[in-house]
Amino acid sequence: MSCVVSNVAWSPLRLHAHARPSILRPVTAAPTPVAPFEQRLDPARLAELEAERLLAERAKAGDRRALAEILRKFGPILYRSVLLPRLGSEAVAQDALGDTYVRVVEKFAQFEWRGCGVYPWLRVVAMRIALDSLRSRKRETLFDPDDLARAADAAERDLDQGLDLKLCEERDREAAKIKLDTALGAINSRYALAIRLRVLEEKSREEAAGSLGVTVSTLDVVLHRALKALKKALGGDDSESP
Amino acid sequence: MKTRPELDLVDAPVPSKKELDAASAAIRALVGGSIDRFDNEALLALALGDDVADEAILDEERVDANLLRHALDGQGEHPLAELASALRVATGSKEVDELTHERLVRRALHERENRAAPRRYWPIASAIVALAAGIALLIGNVTADRSEREVAASLPRLRAAAATVALIPSRSTESLFDASTAFGARGGESARVGRIVASRASDFRANRFARWGVR
Amino acid sequence: MRVTSRLTLICALVLTACKAQPSPDPALVAAGCHEDAPAVDETLLAFLSKARAVHLQVDLAEADAKIDEAVRLLDGLVRPPAPGGENASPEVAEVLADSLARLAELEGQRGNFEAARVLVRRGLGIAKGRTQFRGRLFEVLGSVEKRSFDALRERRDDEGATAAKLRSLAALKEAVSIQEDVIDRALGTAPSP
C-alpha cells in the first residue's frame, strides 16, 4: 500500500505494519525502488500526519476530545467537498454531516491508520451517508444515486490506495465540475450561457438579459427552458416541472 | 447554431402550425408591427430547435417561468429552482456555519454518551433527585426570605463573576499526563505538546462560544 | 433499610452541597488554576501550536541526526519573549520548560555541558512547582552531568569527574523525589504543587 500525496508517493510500511498484500500483484514481484521517504514527502505534511496519527490513536482509545478535534478539523472539508456538491442543499448536507458524525463516533474504534491520515476514511463514511440520503428522498441535484454509488466505490478505492486529503478534495471538486460541464455541454450553448450567467455567476436578471440580448422577461423563459433542458441532460425526468 | 427553418425552404417539408406562427411573428416584426416578448420567445425557441413554441404552451410556460424566477429569489418553491440551487452549491465553496458545525459535533458525541449510559440506574437516580428536591423545597421555604436578601445584596458580585466564570482559564497541564509515568530524560515532547494543544484548542473553542453567548 | 440509609446520606450530601458557600471549582484548583488566571485565548493557542510544529520539526531533524538543526529550531522557540512575559500562563511556562529540557539534552549530546546547565537553570526558574516538568528538568540535568562525568573521566580529570558524578546523582535523586510527589498528589495524598 502506498500513500499518494499530491504528485508523489511514499510507502508507510517502514513506519506502520498495516500493509496488505496486493491482490493484483504477486507478492514475489520485485519491489519498486523508492527514494528515502523524507525526500518523497513534504516535511511539514509528514509532521502534520504524525500529529494526526497520535490524535487518531487517542480517539480510538476513547478520548472524546481527540475525536471531537478530528471532526472539527475534517468535518468542514467533508461538507464542502463531499456532501454539499452531491446533495445540493445546505439543509440536507448538514443533516448528512450530522449523520456522518454519529456513524464516525460509532465506528471510529474500527479505524486503522493507513499512513495517509483520517480524511480518506471519513470521506468513505460521508459518501455512504450521502448515498443513503439521496436514495431516501428524490431531489433535484447534479448527481443521481447511481453517480453517488460509483463515487462511493471510488472513494473506497482511494482509501485503499492511500489517497491524500488534498487529492481526495481535488478529485471531489473535479467530479462536480466535470459533471456540470458535461451536462452544460449537452444542451444548447445559449441555454448553457443563461445558466452560467444567472445561476452559477449569480448575475442580476438585467445583466444576464443584456448579455443574452433579450428582455428580462424573455430571460426568465429562456432560463426556465435552459434548466429543463439541463435536467433532461442530467438524466432527470422533466415531467415533474409544473 | 442550427439554421432557421426559413433558410432551408427549398428542401423543407410543409411547415407545421408552430413554424407558421413563428413566421407570422417574424413578419410582424419585419413590417414594423410590435412583437411582444412571447412572439420573440417563439422565434427564439424555433431558432434553438425547441418544440414548445406554441402560444398555448407559452402562456403556461410564462407562468411557470415566473414561478421559477420568484423561487430563485427565495420566494416560494420550484423543482427547477432546487436544481439551480444544487448547481450553485456544487460548484461553489460554501462552508458549513461554525455554530451549526459545533452543534453537530457535540450532538454526535453526546449521542454516544447517552447510548452508553446504563439505563438501569435511572429509576434510582430519579428517586434520589426527587427526594432531595423535596427536602430542599421544605428547607428552602423556611430560609427563602433570608436567601433572597443575600442574593440581592450579592447581585453585582454575581454578575461580575458570571462574566468571567463562564470562560475556561489557563492552568497547569499536568492533569493531562499520567502521574505514574515519568516524562523521562529523552523524547515524548511532541506528543506532550500535541496533547496540550488538543486540550487547549477545545477550551479555546468553548471560550469563544461562551463569549458569543451560545453557552 | 440499607437502601434507605444510603438515600438519606446522599440527600444530606446533596443538601450540604447546595448550602455550601460559593468557592472556586475544586477541579480547577486541583489543576493548578488560579481565580485570576487569564482565559484560554488565541495568543496562548498560537504559541502552543507553534511549539507543537517546532517539536515535530525537531523530531524530523533528530531522526536525520541533524542535531545542529534541532538545536537551532528549539532555540527559536525558547528565545524570549514568550506570551505573557514574566506572567506567562502555566501552559506557556510548562511548554517552555519542556522545550528547554529538550534543548539542554541536545546541548549535552553535543558536549556543551555548560550551555545545557544554563538551560536547565532557566527551565527550573520557570517550572517552579513540583510538577513532572520540573522533574524532567532534573532528569535531563542528571543525564547531562552523567555525560560530563564520562567526558571528564576520559580526559583523566578525576576530581572533575567525581564532582560531575555527584551532581548527576543529586539531580536524579531530586527527579525521583518530584516524581513521587506527583504520584502522591494524583493519589490524593499530597498537597497541590
Side-chain angles (χ1 to χ4, degrees):
Chain A
M1 180 178 59
S2 67
C3 174
V4 184
V5 186
S6 295
N7 294 320
V8 292
W10 66 284
S11 165
L13 301 186
R14 281 187 236 173
L15 295 179
H16 310 292
H18 297 306
R20 292 192 307 184
S22 167
I23 55 169
L24 302 174
R25 203 171 43 199
V27 287
T28 50
T32 312
V34 286
F37 93 114
E38 64 273 18
Q39 289 174 16
R40 278 172 276 128
L41 195 63
D42 172 17
R45 179 64 185 136
L46 181 63
E48 208 178 306
L49 279 172
E50 180 55 17
E52 199 177 309
R53 187 182 67 76
L54 294 170
L55 191 65
E57 269 178 19
R58 284 173 43 214
K60 268 193 83 164
D63 183 336
R64 286 174 65 249
R65 286 187 168 210
L67 191 51
E69 197 182 335
I70 287 171
L71 298 180
R72 287 187 184 111
K73 184 175 178 187
F74 297 113
I77 309 173
L78 289 177
Y79 177 83
R80 182 179 66 220
S81 305
V82 176
L83 298 172
L84 193 54
R86 288 178 172 83
L87 296 173
S89 150
E90 289 181 51
V92 177
Q94 280 171 15
D95 285 348
L97 187 62
D99 292 346
T100 302
Y101 286 172
V102 171
R103 183 84 54 90
V104 167
V105 170
E106 280 171 4
K107 306 279 181 194
F108 202 79
Q110 296 167 19
F111 169 76
E112 277 185 31
W113 181 260
R114 302 170 75 93
C116 289
V118 182
Y119 184 78
W121 185 82
L122 296 174
R123 181 173 170 246
V124 172
V125 176
M127 209 73 95
R128 292 283 170 206
I129 294 281
L131 178 58
D132 290 347
S133 169
L134 211 55
R135 277 181 178 153
S136 69
R137 194 193 142 204
K138 174 96 177 73
R139 291 187 48 79
E140 299 301 337
T141 61
L142 188 55
F143 295 89
D144 63 25
D146 289 343
D147 292 327
L148 213 45
R150 281 191 292 274
D153 291 343
E156 280 178 4
R157 284 196 298 277
D158 291 344
L159 173 66
D160 204 40
Q161 289 165 9
L163 211 66
D164 188 52
L165 185 157
K166 279 199 172 65
L167 275 182
C168 288
E169 213 183 337
E170 276 172 26
R171 198 164 274 196
D172 287 329
R173 200 175 300 142
E174 196 64 15
K177 192 175 176 303
I178 289 171
K179 180 81 181 169
L180 180 64
D181 287 347
T182 307
L184 287 177
I187 62 174
N188 188 284
S189 60
R190 188 176 173 80
Y191 285 174
L193 182 61
I195 290 173
R196 284 195 190 281
L197 291 171
R198 188 82 179 102
V199 176
L200 303 180
E201 294 170 24
E202 298 187 60
K203 302 262 193 232
S204 68
R205 286 169 76 218
E206 289 74 16
E207 263 184 288
S211 299
L212 283 168
V214 295
T215 62
V216 284
S217 50
T218 301
L219 171 79
D220 293 339
V221 178
V222 173
L223 185 63
H224 182 262
R225 290 183 180 186
L227 285 169
K228 275 178 89 171
L230 185 76
K231 189 176 166 184
K232 204 183 277 184
L234 285 169
D237 177 13
D238 63 354
S239 62
E240 277 178 36
S241 180
Chain B
M1 184 184 277
K2 187 178 174 181
T3 53
R4 289 167 179 260
E6 54 266 39
L7 300 178
D8 300 323
L9 285 176
V10 177
D11 298 322
V14 177
S16 66
K17 182 182 178 298
K18 67 183 175 189
E19 285 169 331
L20 288 173
D21 288 343
S24 306
I27 290 163
R28 281 203 301 277
L30 286 171
V31 298
S34 68
I35 177 168
D36 74 14
R37 60 178 184 264
F38 302 112
D39 289 336
N40 184 33
E41 192 47 42
L43 285 170
L44 272 176
L46 208 56
L48 294 169
D50 258 6
D51 57 354
V52 285
D54 189 84
E55 286 289 338
I57 296 172
L58 277 174
D59 274 346
E60 230 174 76
E61 188 176 30
R62 181 187 56 180
V63 173
D64 200 31
N66 223 21
L67 284 174
L68 171 63
R69 177 196 140 200
H70 286 298
L72 287 174
D73 290 341
Q75 298 162 0
E77 290 181 359
H78 194 288
L80 292 177
E82 193 177 279
L83 177 62
S85 171
L87 299 180
R88 200 172 284 160
V89 297
T91 51
S93 53
K94 201 164 174 64
E95 300 287 344
V96 61
D97 168 68
E98 201 168 346
L99 280 180
T100 306
H101 185 241
E102 186 59 26
R103 201 186 66 234
L104 295 175
V105 170
R106 285 173 191 219
R107 197 188 67 188
L109 290 167
H110 291 161
E111 203 157 291
R112 182 175 71 166
E113 250 182 12
N114 292 341
R115 278 184 203 171
R119 285 160 193 266
R120 62 182 180 278
Y121 295 126
W122 276 110
I124 299 171
S126 307
I128 291 169
V129 171
L131 191 57
I135 297 171
L137 274 175
L138 195 66
I139 296 170
N141 281 339
V142 177
T143 56
D145 286 348
R146 194 169 61 100
S147 299
E148 275 174 28
R149 279 197 303 276
E150 281 171 1
V151 168
S154 61
L155 211 51
R157 186 173 56 81
L158 288 174
R159 277 188 188 139
T164 53
V165 163
L167 299 182
I168 301 170
S170 91
R171 60 202 182 279
S172 171
T173 62
E174 215 189 359
S175 61
L176 297 174
F177 307 105
D178 183 3
S180 63
T181 314
F183 281 4
R186 273 190 64 74
E189 297 87 356
S190 300
R192 280 199 290 278
V193 75
R195 195 157 198 178
I196 294 169
V197 171
S199 159
R200 294 307 184 258
S202 166
D203 292 348
F204 170 62
R205 270 189 294 273
N207 280 350
R208 198 160 45 161
F209 291 126
R211 281 198 183 100
W212 289 348
V214 293
R215 178 183 279 180
Chain C
M1 186 63 191
R2 280 179 67 188
V3 173
T4 315
S5 59
R6 277 185 190 175
L7 283 176
T8 311
L9 177 64
I10 291 166
C11 289
L13 286 172
V14 170
L15 290 173
T16 309
C18 294
K19 207 166 178 280
Q21 291 296 315
S23 59
D25 183 343
L28 293 181
V29 171
C33 178
H34 303 286
E35 275 184 29
D36 55 351
V40 173
D41 60 10
E42 291 95 335
T43 315
L44 171 61
L45 211 60
F47 174 79
L48 295 176
S49 300
K50 177 187 166 188
R52 177 174 59 179
V54 168
H55 277 288
L56 289 169
Q57 285 175 296
V58 173
D59 287 347
L60 296 172
E62 280 198 273
D64 291 347
K66 294 176 180 168
I67 303 301
D68 291 350
E69 172 69 2
V71 166
R72 190 188 62 75
L73 288 162
L74 278 171
D75 192 51
L77 177 66
V78 302
R79 187 171 293 166
E86 294 286 309
N87 301 314
S89 67
E91 291 93 335
V92 171
E94 286 166 356
V95 168
L96 270 181
D98 210 17
S99 305
L100 283 164
R102 188 175 198 183
L103 186 52
E105 173 62 28
L106 290 171
E107 290 289 18
Q109 280 179 42
R110 297 206 297 182
N112 297 335
F113 304 122
E114 194 45 43
R117 288 183 195 110
V118 168
L119 289 165
V120 169
R121 273 199 291 276
R122 195 180 144 203
L124 291 173
I126 294 170
K128 289 176 182 157
R130 289 176 71 77
T131 62
Q132 300 229 55
F133 295 97
R134 189 174 177 85
R136 184 181 179 234
L137 282 160
F138 277 111
E139 270 197 72
V140 169
L141 184 60
S143 160
V144 168
E145 296 296 359
K146 168 73 171 57
R147 286 178 196 274
S148 169
F149 163 75
D150 291 339
L152 288 166
R153 200 172 55 169
E154 205 170 295
R155 292 209 302 263
R156 300 187 183 283
D157 179 353
D158 291 343
E159 199 179 328
T162 305
K165 185 178 176 181
L166 289 173
R167 284 197 301 271
S168 175
L169 288 171
L172 292 171
K173 190 179 168 194
E174 182 62 12
V176 170
S177 165
I178 290 173
Q179 187 60 29
E180 282 171 357
D181 281 0
V182 170
I183 292 171
D184 284 347
R185 257 198 327 277
L187 296 173
T189 53
S192 295

